[in-house]
Amino acid sequence: MKTKFLNLLILIAGMALFAGCSKDDGVSPDDPNALRTIKLSVEARTIEFDLSNRDHNVSFPTDLYIDWGDGSTTSSNSHAYSVKGTYNVTIQAKNLKWFGYSDYSDRLQQIDVKDCNSLVGIDLPGNDLTSLDVSGLAALEYLDCNSNDLSTLNLKGCSALKELNCLSNDLTTLDVSGLAALEYLDCIYNDLSAEALNQIFKDLPQRKTFEDKYGNTKQSTIRIYGNPGKDTCDKSIAEKKGWEVVY
């Protein structure tokens, strides 16, 4: 009996210890002031990240720490490497809400933002990304990933996304289901067939008009020209939902 009792005490103590270790010091994983992490691979000689945006009223993050992948760490958002090459970079900060990088000569190869669900904006035009997963970023309102080499784009759970620019990629499908806040979609110059475009139209939210940040009245717009299916798709599906189709 004593042995069973002792075993029970050990089991309870172990469970309590595990529960204590599972907590992140009581900080909710959805807290925008919690420490956030972005990991990426970039081919570069000099590099500078955009971590704030005046147009979207996003301030620079706090407690910034960047491991530049060459043995150096700083609290600066820019860095010069001694030799141009491909480096694995880790960014950590609190209140990290914006990430942008576009150089057109020094390019991102990969990026992982799954541990940064405080982001409201991602701006990555002109890189070498072949896939991009922003699923679960429920605060994300703006995404520009134009002029990459994307064949897959995962937007699941991006319920706050208003503006999506994914033009000039290699997308054959684009799942916009569940994007209830979407107001503008630019997917020109991809490889979207008529069937793929019709599915996008079906998944678009119901829209009429909305006001932009300057107070101007706008109509929800989707741009589709440069896709194989732009002439034979059923544009009325989107138009009946209040969308302007530009083709």
Side-chain angles (χ1 to χ4, degrees):
M1 177 66 76
K2 288 183 178 180
T3 301
K4 290 183 178 179
F5 182 70
L6 287 173
N7 289 340
L8 180 60
L9 286 177
I10 292 171
L11 177 62
I12 293 172
M15 292 175 65
L17 179 62
F18 177 80
C21 293
S22 298
K23 294 179 181 179
D24 186 12
D25 297 327
V27 178
S28 167
D30 296 321
D31 185 347
N33 292 309
L35 193 64
R36 298 298 180 193
T37 301
I38 295 175
K39 296 181 179 181
L40 57 91
S41 175
V42 62
E43 182 182 10
R45 174 65 175 82
T46 59
I47 189 169
E48 181 174 0
F49 299 129
D50 296 323
L51 302 180
S52 62
N53 187 280
R54 182 177 298 178
D55 288 342
H56 291 264
N57 196 29
V58 178
S59 301
F60 200 81
T62 57
D63 296 341
L64 178 64
Y65 173 91
I66 300 183
D67 182 337
W68 294 101
D70 62 349
S72 60
T73 60
T74 70
S75 59
S76 171
N77 63 319
S78 62
H79 184 65
Y81 294 102
S82 58
V83 178
K84 182 170 183 176
T86 301
Y87 298 92
N88 295 320
V89 179
T90 300
I91 303 166
Q92 290 186 316
K94 293 180 180 179
N95 204 33
L96 180 53
K97 295 186 176 183
W98 190 274
F99 181 79
Y101 180 73
S102 178
D103 188 278
Y104 290 93
S105 59
D106 296 335
R107 301 181 177 219
L108 292 184
Q109 311 296 312
Q110 295 178 323
I111 186 167
D112 182 351
V113 293
K114 67 177 182 297
D115 292 327
C116 198
N117 62 4
S118 56
L119 286 169
V120 299
I122 298 176
D123 190 20
L124 302 173
N127 286 285
D128 288 336
L129 300 174
T130 58
S131 65
L132 181 60
D133 185 354
V134 296
S135 60
L137 301 190
L140 190 66
E141 297 180 1
Y142 175 88
L143 174 60
D144 188 343
C145 52
N146 84 77
S147 304
N148 278 269
D149 300 312
L150 294 177
S151 59
T152 60
L153 176 59
N154 189 344
L155 303 164
K156 287 293 185 183
C158 297
S159 55
L161 189 63
K162 296 180 180 180
E163 184 173 343
L164 172 58
N165 298 296
C166 57
L167 60 143
S168 298
N169 278 288
D170 300 320
L171 298 171
T172 57
T173 62
L174 180 62
D175 186 357
V176 298
S177 60
L179 305 186
L182 193 64
E183 297 169 341
Y184 179 84
L185 170 55
D186 192 342
C187 58
I188 65 174
Y189 296 115
N190 276 279
D191 293 321
L192 298 166
S193 65
E195 181 181 5
L197 287 169
N198 287 343
Q199 187 61 55
I200 292 171
F201 298 156
K202 292 174 184 177
D203 291 337
L204 290 173
Q206 186 72 38
R207 280 287 177 268
K208 292 184 180 178
T209 58
F210 65 95
E211 283 193 1
D212 65 14
K213 61 184 177 182
Y214 304 109
N216 300 315
T217 300
K218 299 284 188 177
Q219 183 176 4
S220 297
T221 301
I222 178 171
R223 295 175 7 120
I224 65 168
Y225 60 82
N227 283 288
K230 63 121 178 152
D231 291 324
T232 54
C233 63
D234 187 354
K235 303 167 189 64
S236 68
I237 300 172
E239 292 167 343
K240 289 176 181 178
K241 290 184 170 186
W243 286 76
E244 178 186 6
V245 181
V246 179
Y247 61 96

